[in-house]
Amino acid sequence: MKPASFEYHAPDSVEEALGLLTEHGWDAKALAGGQSLIPAMNFRLARPAVLVDLNRIDELAFIRRNEDGIGDGGPGPDGVRIGAMTRQRAVEKSELVAELAPLLTEMMPHIAHPQVRNRGTFGGSAVHADPASEIPAALLALDASCRVRGAEGERWVRAEEFFLGLFGTSLEPDELLIEIALPGPRKLTGCAFREISRRQGDYALAGLATRLKLDIEGCIQEARLAYLGVGGGPALATSAAAALIGEKPTATVFEDAARTAAGELEPMEDMHASAAYRNRLVEVLTREALATAVERAFGSG
Amino acid sequence: MSSRYFGARIRRNEDESLLTGRATFVDDVQIPGTLHAAFVRSDLAHGHLRGVDAAAALERPGVIGVFTAADLGEYWQPGPLLVPPAPIEGLTFHARTQVPLAREKVRHVGEPIAVVVAESRYVAEDAVEDVIVDLEPLDAVADLRAALAEGAPVIHEELGSNLAAHAVQTKGDYDAARATAGLVLGRDFTYDRGVSAAMENRGVLAQWDERSGQLTVWDTTQAPIPIRNGLASMLGLSESQVRVVAPFIGGGFGPKIMMFYPDEVLIPWISMRLGRPVKWIEDRFENFFSTTQERGQLHEAEIALSSDGRILGVKDMFLHDTGAYNPYGLTLPINTQCTLLGPYNVPNYYSEFRVAFTNRPIVTPIRGAGRQQGVFIMERLLDLAARELGLDRAEIRRRNFLSPDAFPHDHEILFQDFAPLVYDSGDYEPALDRAMELIGYEPDGPVPSESGGGSPAEDGTDGEDGKGPSRRERLRGTGIVSYIEGTGIGPYEGARVRVEASGKVCLVTGVGTQGQGHFTSFAQIVADQLGVGVTDVRVVTGDTREFHWGTGTFASRGAVVAGNACHAAAVAVREKILGKASEILEVAEEDLKLTEGVVRVQGAPDLSIGLGELALRSNPLRGAVEPGTEPGLEATAYFGPRRGATASGVHAMVVSVDPETAMVEIERYVVVHDCGRVINPLIVEGQIHGGVAHGIGNAFYEELDCDSEGQLHNASFMDYLLPTATDVPPIRTAHIETPSPLNPLGIKGVGEAGAIPVAALFAQAVEDALKEWAPGLEVRDIPLSPNRLFALIEKTRAGGGEEGA
Amino acid sequence: MDATQAVAIRVTVNGERYERSVEPRLLLSDFLRQELSLSGTHVGCEHGVCGACTILLDGQPVRACLVFAVQADGSSIGTVEGLERDDGLHPLQAAFKEAHGLQCGFCTPGILMTMVAFLDEVPDPTELQVREALSGNLCRCTGYQKIVEAVEAAAADLGGSP
């Protein structure tokens, strides 16, 4: 289990990295934390000819308050911005993240183990877009935006447009994810993360991140439910979310929404879980996550 | 002799080197100039090998050689049949053993076809990809039942079918007993395969020294002496020219036994051919194909009982999967057959098995070795019978236990060591009582929670203080099962004890050691005899240059067989010490006392002589000695038990099950265990804990996802799930001691015990938890993943009840 | 220039400075074991699950099989060989011996390196915290119980507990 040979570059700026990616095109692969890429290389399932190691680009590792917002209807000036090469462990431990995006703080410990999170990066996991991983689902639930830069310039991409199915993103081979902006906490809004895995730190058999906003009457005004482990990518349950709008948050409403979610998602089957089993887990977890999110929404008001 | 160390919680002598990273494992041996090997392996489970083209590989810089079956000439031989079949009447047995490199056919995925040797493992793996293998696919058969079906692809054509063995063992007359029964209950059961998953993969390093004519082989083997003997014979060398060293080994669990794996046979040959040290270290991916596996069996079993729950007889017919080859003979199915009988009085028994070749990796013993399956069948039958009869589960066991005066008890069938299955000693009820007490077992309402039966328990996954619908209901259940284990079989082991001029003691034995604490437990035995400190006994194991005779570490036999050999050698040295001291001090032996490394005269404190001084004087450099005198304070002794010693135990657990998600948590675990006299309780507890964890893995986590074509889809630790620290509960242990009369120390083996009854226990506890949620649910297949349990619950609740299936 | 060619790197391991030239694909685990002969770091799976190769990279426990040696250029690395103190075993090592927290010992170095960092961060852990922190290291011999006991004892010894 030794990786095949590759050409190695360790640029220390984004510009230099983009130059290398442009130069090598499809032959090149950006190396972030390496906690998914290197195992794949050790199995020789991945064999990039050129590795562009981003670990020396200090400008990509930061967590800061989103002072100005990003405009264009994206996350406003009350949230947090996380550099793509920020270690997952740093996000987990960040007080700023706990204050401005507590869903992430709740979710991060579910990712593998500390030894992996010490190395794995926030952006790396987003770009890898493993359908069973936590970060993409959280970004969808929170309606985060991703700043992407290429030789041609840069753009902000909403999470919904960023993730494209199984291990797919809208990132071009000569582009880099620079940072992710997350909206800040709102009144009458609550989030929750739930997952079930076989063992501590395993990929989830199923899981979800949800964000609910209530109106002043206590009815559900906005709902986002983003799933992991159940589809070809991080998946939004839009019908279930739509069915919640305008409803009083009761156990029956949650159960109906949970069933709707289980019905609209198309879980894959593997040795660890049949589709029927995943549907059951989706139902149970949805019910629970919605209840928790509503409690928190009331608490936030 | 007083026993200062035997029975005491002695800290281990070997720990410092392991804790500081200084302990040398096979891959830690670094010899300058070493070449590295990697294998070209079959990616098909069954195929004709039409050709191998290594030209491109040979051109790659850094590649030294590529070897195929054709290059081996006469060295190409199928491996030895390690265990000949037991002399069972009417037995059918066909031996087909693994080959070093495939020649005409491949019979399982991962079977080696060629070996590449290069300057580094990295380059060797590059070159493996350069080798072009021409394989013509044949239909494969991976499923055990399918392998024996009419028209199945035949793996060893000349046999005409995939039947590797067929045997029947009987006692009494089952059919006659059945005719008088109050209850006859029959079920089918499945026990699936797993891997041993020692944390250290296998590895071999061989160094041929042309000038001295010496071959040294470092091998992760549990049995260095048989490997040395076999290699010498195959390579045409004297046994004195071959040294096999099994240094620190990172876990054995069975598959590191004297397999003569292709790599074990090839690496030394290549080293001799190239005149350079050659190393092969198995990687984790390879391990899923190139190291042996175990446990695949299908049973059709039936139990006949009186209306008050006494066993009249058991009938069991099973299929056993041996994989593509069967070098280990019939050890596994015979262990299953014998262990099924458990601690019970079973007057009539009919047991028949068929062994099938399949297109899967080879099957040989893994910790428990066939016993798990036997215990699972019997304990499941008893659970289901108790349910039918309205009897308590503990009570049905109690009613059928052999009584303490029933020993020795002859079961009238043959065990794996070819000796009759005779239990040496045991006392089972006290173990049951103790386990019931420790787990808080309540007959007929066996839920030891504060809140009562089937009660909702908190779901610990919710970090909030929240109430309401985010809480999931969990149901508690308790299980209690018993088992026996035949341990410590022959043929023999040996040991040599020597007092050195420093006054310290050197103890050498031939068995390999893989973490069982032999450096300490053997030292305890010897230290007690010689009146020295346990840290003054240096234990050498696993090096054939140090000790010539022996077999290996398997069948929970290290402490029993080698331990008693150490004891015998120490007793002999003690006699020499006292004899010599008596001669020098001119005092009768009866008046001498051996403590703290000094022989003292009782009542005359000034008169004494140290062991070092005695050792020196036993080895004179000048002067004459009496004819027949042996130098030194040294003795070698051997021990071979007449037959195995029967260990036993009762395990109990409390589980909580989330009935909606089928997730199971083991909350508490109790082991009451009888391994005869305990040398070191600390080590015994550790062995039990590890065994239980292994058993939990087999019961709930570990599963090989192999398709009907013999392709494995989860050859990694990402998808082959080993239990972690959050999956194994705290385990409470208690000991019962019925010494074995078959060896002077009264020891029974313990290495495998913990793993044996766990699946049976888990099944019972889960059923108990779900008895109201899914009445009639029966667990008959292991492993029971949440995925499978979910399907079982849904089927049972939908009315697909399993009664009489 | 062929960038697959060896690259010069400088690392500090257990306080000692080393300069070596490495092929970019060389895993840090192999570098430590083969180039520096620090074979106490063990290799159990090479895909980041078993934890046997856990080392401290700039003070943080990471899987050495999931880092290329070339990436460690300029870093400070701690391995099991650096744990011992002048006066003998590190309290965590001593606790493992005392509690019988190891059997074959193959997984032990990775567990020690993981738990040294854990106890720095959580000096007075609960049993559940210890088990969760351990869950990224596989052990096939011990069933973990005596490892947990060892870590709890070490925590007390290191002054975390009252």
Side-chain angles (χ1 to χ4, degrees):
Chain A
M1 289 183 56
K2 309 299 183 190
S5 282
F6 51 83
E7 191 180 309
Y8 177 78
H9 300 277
D12 46 26
S13 72
V14 170
E15 291 320 308
E16 202 185 332
L18 287 172
L20 286 160
L21 290 175
T22 306
E23 180 189 341
H24 296 286
W26 291 101
D27 289 340
K29 181 103 183 137
L31 173 63
Q35 303 301 286
S36 297
L37 178 57
I38 298 178
M41 291 176 70
N42 289 357
F43 278 111
R44 299 201 176 198
L45 296 171
R47 41 200 322 152
V50 178
L51 270 191
V52 179
D53 185 352
L54 308 179
N55 282 279
R56 294 187 188 274
I57 307 180
D58 295 338
E59 60 186 292
L60 289 180
F62 60 84
I63 298 173
R64 64 169 173 254
R65 205 176 280 274
N66 190 1
E67 301 288 357
D68 308 318
I70 67 167
D72 277 347
D78 52 357
V80 63
R81 295 165 77 142
I82 301 175
M85 285 299 292
T86 308
R87 305 285 172 199
Q88 290 161 5
R89 191 80 165 147
V91 177
E92 175 186 353
K93 298 277 167 198
S94 162
E95 286 176 17
L96 195 61
V97 170
E99 181 197 335
L100 300 180
L103 178 72
L104 296 185
T105 309
E106 181 184 12
M107 178 201 72
M108 296 308 292
H110 291 276
I111 303 172
H113 300 281
Q115 299 103 316
V116 170
R117 298 198 294 277
N118 277 333
R119 192 76 193 151
T121 62
F122 193 72
S125 176
V127 171
H128 186 51
D130 188 318
S133 70
E134 290 82 0
I135 289 172
L139 299 185
L140 272 182
L142 292 175
D143 198 9
S145 285
C146 305
R147 183 153 67 106
V148 163
R149 192 186 303 167
E152 313 283 289
E154 68 174 41
R155 58 199 168 104
W156 281 97
V157 187
R158 288 182 61 186
E160 269 162 80
E161 279 92 47
F162 186 77
F163 295 108
L164 303 175
L166 192 65
F167 296 103
T169 68
S170 56
L171 208 61
E172 297 295 329
D174 58 356
E175 286 182 321
L176 280 179
L177 174 64
I178 303 297
E179 64 170 324
I180 293 167
L182 298 137
R186 301 271 200 291
K187 287 206 163 177
L188 287 171
T189 299
C191 295
F193 180 85
R194 298 301 297 250
E195 73 169 42
I196 286 189
S197 59
R198 285 300 317 266
R199 302 171 303 178
Q200 166 103 9
D202 279 344
Y203 279 120
L205 297 177
L208 80 154
T210 184
R211 189 180 70 173
L212 290 185
K213 183 173 189 323
L214 305 176
D215 62 22
I216 45 169
E217 309 289 317
C219 290
I220 298 167
Q221 192 177 49
E222 287 171 25
R224 292 177 74 84
L225 297 108
Y227 291 81
L228 56 146
V230 294
L236 281 173
T238 47
S239 303
L244 286 166
I245 306 301
E247 298 288 336
K248 283 270 181 202
T250 64
T252 316
V253 166
F254 295 156
E255 277 164 29
D256 288 346
R259 269 191 295 276
T260 307
E264 74 179 290
L265 297 165
E266 288 172 1
M268 59 217 164
E269 298 215 302
D270 60 28
M271 68 172 289
H272 301 301
S274 65
Y277 184 38
R278 285 205 158 88
N279 275 329
R280 165 63 60 81
L281 298 178
V282 163
E283 262 189 66
V284 171
L285 295 172
T286 302
R287 212 170 67 200
E288 294 175 354
L290 289 174
T292 305
V294 161
E295 270 177 43
R296 291 176 182 170
F298 279 122
S300 73
Chain B
M1 176 208 72
S2 66
S3 166
R4 288 186 301 155
Y5 293 119
F6 195 104
R9 303 173 75 85
I10 303 299
R11 302 317 184 259
R12 301 199 319 171
N13 288 343
E14 53 266 60
D15 284 353
E16 270 193 41
S17 62
L18 290 164
L19 286 162
T20 52
R22 286 196 292 269
T24 301
F25 293 83
V26 168
D27 193 23
D28 302 341
V29 179
Q30 295 188 9
I31 303 170
T34 296
L35 299 173
H36 298 266
F39 284 88
V40 178
R41 297 180 180 279
S42 174
D43 51 16
L44 292 179
H46 202 191
H48 275 303
L49 180 56
R50 292 196 294 210
V52 181
D53 178 0
L58 286 164
E59 281 177 21
R60 180 177 285 272
V63 172
I64 307 297
V66 179
F67 303 93
T68 65
D71 298 310
L72 298 180
E74 288 185 3
Y75 192 67
W76 190 96
Q77 291 291 334
L81 178 65
L82 301 168
V83 187
I88 296 170
E89 218 178 280
L91 173 80
T92 302
F93 179 75
H94 304 292
R96 289 295 181 276
T97 58
Q98 73 281 1
V99 299
L101 291 170
R103 202 162 57 175
E104 285 106 24
K105 268 188 85 169
V106 292
R107 296 182 176 88
H108 67 86
V109 173
E111 185 161 9
I113 291 170
V115 53
V116 175
V117 181
E119 297 289 353
S120 80
R121 173 73 180 221
Y122 287 75
V123 174
E125 289 191 21
D126 295 342
V128 161
E129 298 181 327
D130 299 334
V131 175
I132 300 161
V133 176
D134 185 3
L135 268 182
E136 176 195 347
L138 294 170
D139 287 340
V141 61
D143 177 75
L144 176 50
R145 206 184 299 279
L148 292 177
E150 199 72 24
V154 179
I155 295 163
H156 300 279
E157 287 94 343
E158 66 286 0
L159 294 179
S161 83
N162 293 318
L163 184 73
H166 174 230
V168 179
Q169 293 214 72
T170 64
K171 170 190 185 183
D173 182 346
Y174 175 76
D175 288 335
R178 184 185 198 278
T180 67
L183 172 69
V184 175
L185 181 140
R187 293 289 190 276
D188 295 348
F189 300 98
T190 306
Y191 212 112
D192 212 345
R193 266 195 196 218
V195 298
S196 56
M199 285 299 107
E200 177 200 39
N201 289 306
R202 294 191 306 104
V204 183
L205 164 64
Q207 181 183 30
W208 169 246
D209 182 351
E210 182 75 47
R211 287 204 289 187
S212 64
Q214 284 290 325
L215 175 69
T216 307
V217 180
W218 289 265
D219 185 351
T220 55
T221 182
Q222 295 169 223
I225 292 171
I227 293 290
R228 185 267 325 268
N229 297 348
L231 285 177
S233 153
M234 283 183 257
L235 294 165
L237 299 171
S238 157
E239 288 173 8
S240 68
Q241 287 178 283
V242 183
R243 176 188 180 196
V244 174
V245 185
F248 278 101
I249 305 294
F253 312 117
K256 288 180 179 170
I257 198 61
M258 66 295 251
M259 276 294 298
F260 295 94
Y261 281 105
D263 40 87
E264 268 177 319
V265 170
L266 288 167
I267 300 300
W269 180 85
I270 295 171
S271 174
M272 289 182 73
R273 191 168 159 125
L274 298 177
R276 292 188 52 185
V278 181
K279 184 188 263 189
W280 170 77
I281 298 297
E282 182 184 53
D283 66 35
R284 187 54 65 184
F285 180 72
E286 284 184 290
N287 181 268
F288 280 91
F289 306 92
S290 58
T291 289
T292 57
Q293 309 178 349
E294 203 218 304
R295 304 223 207 287
Q297 290 184 354
L298 300 171
H299 287 251
E300 286 176 47
E302 191 177 278
I303 188 167
L305 306 101
S306 65
S307 322
D308 63 349
R310 282 172 214 284
I311 299 169
L312 302 176
V314 174
K315 180 179 184 181
D316 178 37
M317 300 199 294
F318 68 98
L319 307 181
H320 172 79
D321 174 6
T322 191
Y325 302 96
N326 61 347
Y328 224 83
L330 295 177
T331 298
L332 290 165
I334 292 178
N335 270 357
T336 303
Q337 195 164 52
C338 289
T339 311
L340 183 145
L341 294 166
Y344 308 114
N345 184 20
V346 182
N348 299 285
Y349 186 37
Y350 177 91
S351 173
E352 175 176 2
F353 64 76
R354 285 183 169 75
V355 179
F357 291 115
T358 60
N359 289 120
R360 294 188 67 178
I362 306 171
V363 169
T364 70
I366 295 180
R367 194 174 207 169
R371 301 180 183 90
Q372 270 91 336
Q373 299 93 315
V375 170
F376 184 70
I377 305 309
M378 183 59 131
E379 296 299 307
R380 293 276 61 209
L381 289 173
L382 285 174
D383 290 339
L384 299 174
R387 201 192 279 183
E388 288 285 312
L389 293 168
L391 266 177
D392 172 63
R393 288 164 287 147
E395 179 57 26
I396 197 170
R397 289 169 168 83
R398 188 186 301 278
R399 284 187 193 179
N400 287 290
F401 279 155
L402 292 164
S403 66
D405 57 8
F407 299 93
H409 181 80
D410 188 350
H411 273 299
E412 301 171 35
I413 58 174
L414 286 183
F415 190 45
Q416 57 150 314
D417 58 355
F418 310 166
L421 179 65
V422 177
Y423 293 180
D424 55 346
S425 63
D427 188 3
Y428 305 131
E429 276 203 69
L432 182 69
D433 290 335
R434 186 92 174 98
M436 288 170 72
E437 176 198 328
L438 289 175
I439 204 77
Y441 185 87
E442 291 168 26
D444 297 324
V447 182
S449 67
E450 318 73 62
S451 38
S455 66
E458 251 186 33
D459 170 19
T461 62
D462 194 339
E464 295 296 290
D465 63 342
K467 300 146 202 88
S470 71
R471 289 279 163 208
R472 288 204 294 276
E473 190 182 37
R474 297 189 76 99
L475 303 172
R476 282 222 176 84
T478 307
I480 191 159
V481 300
S482 46
Y483 69 97
I484 60 95
E485 182 199 359
T487 69
I489 59 170
Y492 76 94
E493 289 299 337
R496 185 174 63 244
V497 171
R498 181 176 64 241
V499 180
E500 299 183 341
S502 60
K504 305 218 169 182
V505 177
C506 179
L507 163 65
V508 187
T509 172
V511 298
T513 186
Q514 306 89 41
Q516 299 92 336
H518 292 150
F519 295 97
T520 310
S521 50
F522 293 166
Q524 287 175 252
I525 292 170
V526 170
D528 274 347
Q529 283 301 320
L530 302 188
V532 296
V534 71
T535 52
D536 292 329
V537 182
R538 180 167 179 269
V539 179
V540 178
T541 76
D543 184 345
T544 63
R545 193 171 66 183
E546 301 283 337
F547 202 84
H548 190 82
W549 303 100
T551 47
T553 303
F554 53 90
S556 298
R557 68 192 290 279
V560 183
V561 188
N564 275 287
C566 294
H567 174 71
V571 166
V573 170
R574 178 184 175 85
E575 280 167 18
K576 287 192 178 182
I577 290 168
L578 295 177
K580 190 76 189 171
S582 155
E583 195 184 305
I584 293 169
L585 300 172
E586 298 177 335
V587 175
E589 283 184 34
E590 307 82 75
D591 296 328
L592 296 176
K593 198 165 183 269
L594 176 49
T595 54
E596 285 157 17
V598 177
V599 183
R600 296 174 206 278
V601 179
Q602 301 196 32
D606 296 346
L607 216 49
S608 68
I609 183 164
L611 284 184
E613 172 74 10
L614 271 174
L616 268 177
R617 296 189 48 180
S618 304
N619 183 25
L621 298 177
R622 289 286 187 279
V625 298
E626 290 295 313
T629 301
E630 287 178 9
L633 299 175
E634 180 179 286
T636 301
Y638 297 88
F639 180 75
R642 227 172 30 251
R643 54 173 178 268
T646 311
S648 65
V650 175
H651 288 207
M653 67 159 71
V654 175
V655 296
S656 69
V657 182
D658 176 342
E660 278 195 285
T661 63
M663 297 302 285
V664 182
E665 186 189 334
I666 303 173
E667 295 185 348
R668 290 199 294 127
Y669 203 108
V670 164
V671 176
V672 181
H673 184 258
D674 178 0
C675 62
R677 290 188 65 206
V678 172
I679 305 171
N680 186 332
L682 202 61
I683 288 175
V684 165
E685 283 163 18
Q687 289 287 311
I688 291 172
H689 294 166
V692 169
H694 198 145
I696 289 172
N698 288 153
F700 193 50
Y701 291 98
E702 300 175 38
E703 190 173 351
L704 290 171
D705 182 20
C706 179
D707 66 22
S708 60
E709 295 299 301
Q711 294 290 341
L712 182 64
H713 298 286
N714 65 327
S716 84
F717 278 168
M718 283 183 247
D719 283 315
Y720 186 86
L721 310 179
L722 295 179
T724 71
T726 44
D727 306 314
V728 181
I731 299 158
R732 178 138 183 221
T733 56
H735 303 288
I736 302 271
E737 269 196 25
T738 62
S740 173
L742 298 174
N743 63 75
L745 294 174
I747 303 172
K748 300 173 176 181
V750 70
E752 299 170 86
I756 290 172
V758 185
L761 179 62
F762 188 72
Q764 191 199 97
V766 167
E767 279 180 7
D768 185 47
L770 292 168
K771 63 181 183 286
E772 281 157 25
W773 181 271
L777 180 142
E778 292 184 7
V779 176
R780 296 194 222 141
D781 301 333
I782 291 295
L784 180 71
S785 61
N787 189 34
R788 285 191 182 167
L789 180 58
F790 167 77
L792 193 56
I793 292 170
E794 295 308 299
K795 191 174 154 197
T796 308
R797 277 169 66 88
E802 306 268 313
E803 254 78 31
Chain C
M1 181 198 78
D2 180 357
T4 63
Q5 291 302 306
V7 180
I9 62 168
R10 272 197 255 186
V11 291
T12 304
V13 183
N14 303 329
E16 297 236 4
R17 298 184 57 140
Y18 298 88
E19 283 191 48
R20 292 287 189 280
S21 169
V22 297
E23 202 188 346
R25 65 167 161 169
L26 184 69
L27 298 171
L28 182 57
S29 45
D30 286 335
F31 172 76
L32 292 168
R33 293 177 48 77
Q34 292 162 14
E35 300 293 321
L36 306 188
S37 291
L38 292 169
S39 60
T41 298
H42 296 155
V43 172
C45 78
E46 291 180 302
H47 54 281
V49 182
C50 80
C53 68
T54 303
I55 52 136
L56 300 181
L57 183 61
D58 293 325
Q60 298 295 313
V62 302
R63 317 288 207 202
C65 72
L66 298 190
V67 179
F68 295 112
V70 64
Q71 297 186 277
D73 185 21
S75 300
S76 165
I77 292 169
T79 72
V80 69
E81 286 91 346
L83 268 190
E84 234 176 329
R85 296 174 173 184
D86 290 341
D87 56 349
L89 295 178
H90 183 281
L92 185 64
Q93 292 171 311
F96 268 65
K97 175 170 180 168
E98 186 59 26
H100 187 32
L102 67 158
Q103 290 184 27
C104 82
F106 193 81
C107 67
T108 310
I111 289 179
L112 292 172
M113 300 319 286
T114 303
M115 297 323 281
V116 157
F118 168 71
L119 289 179
D120 268 351
E121 199 179 301
V122 188
D124 189 11
T126 64
E127 182 191 333
L128 182 64
Q129 284 175 313
V130 173
R131 284 186 179 269
E132 285 179 355
L134 257 180
S135 69
N137 292 78
L138 296 175
C139 168
R140 192 59 147 173
C141 293
T142 63
Y144 305 102
Q145 184 158 331
K146 289 179 187 292
I147 298 178
V148 173
E149 287 166 17
V151 174
E152 288 176 328
D157 192 34
L158 286 162
S161 277

